[in-house]
Amino acid sequence: MSRRPNTSRRLMDPANIPFVGSLHPKSRPSFLSIGLVVVGALLIVGYLYHGSGGRSRLEDFNRLQGGVSCTLELLRAYPILKKAYGESINKVLHVGPDTCSVVSKLLNDEDTEVWGIEPYDLEDADANCKSLVGKGIVRAADIKFRLPYRAKSFSLVIVSDAVDYLSPKYINKTLPELARVAADGLVVFSGIPGQRRAKIAEMSKFGRPAKFRTPSWWIRFFVQANLEENEDASKKFDEAAAEQSYVPACQVFHLKPLH
């Protein structure tokens, strides 16, 4: 999601390479010693770039920028959603940034078909993402316009880290459209006012900073857009969350599909 800071120049500065600054000016280190120091510095750079734990881009986004990713929150909440929606989760559409990562993880659930829409771009897609795109499982689409699916194509539609970047004008088009292609429900993961969010990647990728809206703002919007809250699903979600001591880091709204 975001570019890592360029640390190579700083680390490769001889003044910052371990031990080089401590060498006596009149000493003559061998080429082998210098080579070992350079290799060590390159390994450090590689570690910073790739991490030691195989983190996803979303996790790096949070770690480097101090943001809260509602897409990561969705993955945490997915077992709770399964309890709340039960058999309704059999064909899921995820809409949001890094949907390839979400789809890849949710595909491990053999009982569920999973599809994804990336609302921005897939220029930096990795091999796995390109494979999902090639199979037609993931596609790029502008969610401000009509989606290329028939009504009620999916049992559940889940959107994360997408509507916060839309103006009310386009949210008014996007959410009803997402509700149109849902058969059993639409789940919206939205940021909480006051959350810290990355600023570096926002303007270049999304075109505008995230706008965090209060729960009361969303409720008024749902009423104005004729979107009905799914109180039964919301209650089951809250009960399942309480059983597992799960507290969402994002706002989670459950909406009924359009009739």
Side-chain angles (χ1 to χ4, degrees), residues 162-185:
V163 293
D164 292 328
Y165 293 94
L166 297 178
S167 66
K169 171 185 175 182
Y170 287 116
I171 296 177
N172 195 45
K173 297 180 179 179
T174 298
L175 287 186
E177 179 64 7
L178 294 176
R180 180 187 68 83
V181 300
D184 296 308

Side-chain angles (χ1 to χ4, degrees), residues 96-172:
D98 208 20
T99 192
C100 288
S101 295
V102 174
V103 169
S104 295
K105 288 181 172 62
L106 299 190
L107 280 174
N108 293 326
D109 184 352
E110 297 180 355
D111 297 327
T112 305
E113 290 183 36
V114 186
W115 308 81
I117 287 182
E118 166 64 62
Y120 301 105
D121 66 68
L122 291 168
E123 293 180 359
D124 59 346
D126 56 21
N128 175 63
C129 189
K130 289 179 180 178
S131 174
L132 293 172
V133 172
K135 295 175 182 177
I137 297 175
V138 171
R139 64 171 66 190
D142 192 335
I143 60 174
K144 296 192 295 292
F145 301 98
R146 188 176 178 85
L147 297 176
Y149 301 111
R150 294 192 299 269
K152 303 185 184 303
S153 292
F154 306 93
S155 58
L156 192 68
V157 177
I158 307 173
V159 57
S160 62
D161 285 325
V163 293
D164 292 328
Y165 293 94
L166 297 178
S167 66
K169 171 185 175 182
Y170 287 116
I171 296 177
N172 195 45

Side-chain angles (χ1 to χ4, degrees), residues 40 54 65 76-77 108 123 125 128 137 142 163 188 202 216 238 240 248 257 259:
Q65 306 298 342
R76 287 183 59 226
N108 293 326
E123 293 180 359
N128 175 63
I137 297 175
D142 192 335
V163 293
V188 178
E202 278 183 350
S216 59
D238 291 342
H259 300 294

Side-chain angles (χ1 to χ4, degrees), residues 51-70:
S52 59
R55 290 181 295 266
S56 70
R57 288 186 300 160
L58 284 170
E59 290 169 317
D60 286 327
F61 175 92
N62 279 4
R63 182 176 61 87
L64 291 175
Q65 306 298 342
V68 174
S69 166
C70 289

